[in-house]
Amino acid sequence: MSKRIAFQGEPGAYSHEACAASRPGFEALPCNTFEEVIDSVREGRAELAMLPVENSTYGRVADIHRLLPESGLHIVDEAFVRVRIALMGLPGAKLEDIRHVRAHLVLIPQARSFLKAKGITAEAAADSAGAAADLARTRIAHEGVLASEMAAQIYGLDVLATDIEDNHHNTTRFLVMSPEPDLTRRGSHGMITTFVFQVRNIPAALYKAMGGFATNGVNMTKLESYMVDGSFTATQFYADIEGHPDDPNVKLALDELSYFTTRLHILGTYPASDARL
């Protein structure tokens, strides 16, 4: 049996596209929620999880930062998917036939200029790939879907227009999660280490905690804060840095960070993607 990689959404979702690109030899396992994705790995139904963590247009993906520290999984890789929006219709349809489209709520504004120019109205759906599946089943004339080209292939729809998004830089970053960490040095562009931490309740704690990275020449590429359990006094920080925990300068920076924190948890060490270049 082939190994499985779990993702949230219907077959043909952009998360499915990330699975196919990152782990082409794995069978993709669709799940209803992010929690189900994590559980499928913890319970042995899948070997890996593919989870979106941020989007270049919309920022942080809701709930992911909260779920990762308690998941028991480890980041072993990252993947980037350019969100290319295709308009698809029933087999034999023409673009001028389409009067109305359905798509996930976040995709519709990204194709606003194209839809306006073509006089096409739009309606939000729970899932773009799911909307493609619905169209293939209902076969409603003059209706289209905004989704990935993969969704059109899976559900037997015709692609009527491609790359219709207003912003052609829109990219989603995904994390590949495993039950076991992989601390080996790999990849051609160095390593990324991701961790979460909570600072001590002392004046200028965050400023002092960050000092070790500056003095040791460690580049921090991401730092985000979020509340823990709805408390305004318990703030947790999520960070990405360049380097491996065994690098002397990274080790010194993390040692200094631990002095100012009440919790420090490394989520994973993994190779930097080519997409970062």
Side-chain angles (χ1 to χ4, degrees), residues 3-8 15 18-19 22-23 26-29 31 33-42 45-52 64 68 71-79 174-180:
K3 293 183 178 180
R4 290 182 167 185
I5 181 168
F7 69 96
Q8 187 276 327
S15 292
C19 293
S22 178
R23 295 295 189 276
F26 281 60
E27 177 187 351
L29 176 66
C31 299
T33 64
F34 294 137
E35 288 88 348
E36 187 179 326
V37 172
I38 292 168
D39 287 343
S40 70
V41 177
R42 290 197 298 203
R45 297 192 302 276
E47 283 72 24
L48 297 173
M50 180 70 74
L51 293 169
I64 290 297
L68 292 187
S71 69
L73 304 182
H74 306 268
I75 306 169
V76 295
D77 207 351
E78 64 177 353
F174 294 84
L175 300 176
V176 180
M177 310 288 293
S178 169
E180 300 296 331

